[in-house]
Amino acid sequence: MLGEFLEHVAQQQPAAVVFDILFSDPDVFNPDSDAYLNEALAGTDRAFLAYLRLPAKDDGLSQLRPEMIPGAAKTPLARDGATVAAVMPFLPAAVESGRLGTINVEPDADGVVRQYPVWIEAHGWQLPSLPMRVAQAQGWNIPARQSILLNWRGKPFSYRYASFSDVYFDMLSKDKARPPDE
């Protein structure tokens, strides 16, 4: 389903198709669907996927080194041999594309997320957030600070959006109701 969706949306040539969900485990009941999604990812240069930075206390249990993470930036403080605990996408095309970013957020004490990390520091490496990777690909300016304050404007859903299910079911429909250049 997601592979078909990606192929359909990619035909409209969007600036980016961003999956802010984890593709951490294969579909053991339908491996063909994973293969199809992997092919769709390999067939576009506009799809971005997420990975999750796990707690730093678990870094010693990992074999993943920061230099193995696409987009990770080495700083002068980088520690040689350091490992990073993270849940990476299992799809080879996702990792090979290099269009990956973290989706970690930390709510304030009252449960509201007011800041978003532009990158996460790990042993002298900067692990870019998913929005940062999209912004880099678009040539937008990247904030120089590690996190940004979120400005929640307007009432919920007061911005333009399209639900996945609405777009997907229209895509399958014989009589299309959505604009082809949405």
Side-chain angles (χ1 to χ4, degrees), residues 129-146:
S129 67
L130 187 56
M132 178 179 167
R133 294 295 284 155
V134 174
Q136 286 173 326
Q138 302 306 313
W140 300 338
N141 291 330
I142 308 297
R145 56 192 179 278
Q146 189 171 358

Side-chain angles (χ1 to χ4, degrees), residues 105-169:
V105 294
E106 293 289 329
D108 290 345
D110 62 359
V112 176
V113 174
R114 292 186 176 85
Q115 293 194 53
Y116 197 92
V118 177
W119 73 83
I120 296 173
E121 191 282 327
H123 309 291
W125 289 78
Q126 292 179 353
L127 309 178
S129 67
L130 187 56
M132 178 179 167
R133 294 295 284 155
V134 174
Q136 286 173 326
Q138 302 306 313
W140 300 338
N141 291 330
I142 308 297
R145 56 192 179 278
Q146 189 171 358
S147 67
I148 58 171
L149 187 62
L150 296 174
N151 189 353
W152 299 105
R153 293 185 179 169
K155 295 179 181 175
F157 303 106
S158 60
Y159 48 89
R160 186 171 177 248
Y161 70 97
S163 76
F164 173 86
S165 63
D166 289 347
V167 174
Y168 184 75
F169 287 123

Side-chain angles (χ1 to χ4, degrees), residues 59-80:
D59 285 351
L61 303 173
S62 177
Q63 295 180 359
L64 181 67
R65 294 183 317 279
E67 61 268 22
M68 297 166 68
I69 300 173
K74 187 176 185 177
T75 74
L77 302 175
R79 281 193 10 228
D80 290 335

